[in-house]
Amino acid sequence: MAAADPDTEVQAEFPPLVRQYKSGRVERFFNPAPLPAGTDPAMGVVSKDVVVDPATGLWARLFLPPGSHGKKQQLPVVVYYHGGAYVIGSAADPWTHTYLNALVAKAGVLAVALEYRLAPEHPLPASYEDSWEGLKWVATHAAAAAAAAAAVGGGPVEPWLTEHGDFSRVFLAGASAGGTIAHYVAVRAGEQQGQGDILGMRVIGLLIVHPYFSGAADIGDEGTTGKQRKAQADAFWRFLYPGSPGLDDPLSNPFSEAAGGSAARVAAERVLVCVAEKDNLRDRGVWYYESLKASGYPGEVELLESKGEGHIFYCMNPLCDRAREMEERVLSFLRK
């Protein structure tokens, strides 16, 4: 009997996202081809890709609003982390690129979408560490530190950031797994303020959209979905992060005992949490909102629930009424 081919024998499978074979080969689903950077003909937004760290392959896609290119205009900076359950997605995927084109055009901000490494080839916490390194790279462009950016090992200086970034108005944002990452980097920045690591940036707001949090204990409707679903969530987390203690890992559950109350140290003056009524992650998003308010975090925490909608609906149907409602709330949050 012929030996099984490790390149076709499945080791782990998590539909509809990813399959890994015993050879290590990874097959991704629901993962469309990336869109190129350039000038968006509909919005007039200009984008480009820049290398952040050649050693790890970390890069970012920058977006400038119409009329800004070539002018010395100071703009709020939105550092954005894409979703995809840590296994799919990109700063250049159609949903992220199209969403940020519209956001940048309407809000008049400079957006930096960071491209972190994906699991399982790069197990967690690689995506979190890449995202933190990306934020530090952005911070080296703050006016007070731009001249010393190369000296602190933050990567090459990017003219769009030095010429257009207003580092007294910085926002951290992310959707799904990117929302979880945005929380993580906001906490880490808060813990290291005053130690020079964020180089004088002022983080005004944290935007958490349909976040991908979890936990060993059931909350909300999780207890009605059965033990099998919780077991699947735990298996997927361990697939992403071999050696992790499980769903109460602080990277998954920011209010677990192991997290040590770190959530209260979020480096943002206000937080907006967006959830969708029909999203399986809806209860965790509301739990995050309520837990952050009760954590001792001193800033303002807001919640927007989109009735009748599912996960990341605003990317799939950006012209629907609820997507427009959410857009207006996000624009108000950025302009406040």
Side-chain angles (χ1 to χ4, degrees), residues 97-154:
H97 183 85
T98 302
Y99 173 72
L100 289 178
N101 266 335
L103 182 71
V104 166
K106 295 174 182 179
V109 298
L110 188 167
V112 182
L114 288 159
E115 181 76 357
Y116 52 82
R117 290 172 293 173
L118 300 178
E121 296 94 331
H122 304 282
L124 298 182
S127 62
Y128 289 88
E129 293 300 328
D130 286 352
S131 299
W132 173 245
E133 291 303 316
L135 180 61
K136 289 202 298 181
W137 173 77
V138 171
T140 63
H141 296 80
V152 298

Side-chain angles (χ1 to χ4, degrees), residues 43-59:
M43 296 288 181
V45 171
V46 182
S47 60
K48 70 174 178 178
D49 297 335
V50 299
V51 175
V52 174
D53 186 349
T56 61
L58 179 62
W59 60 273

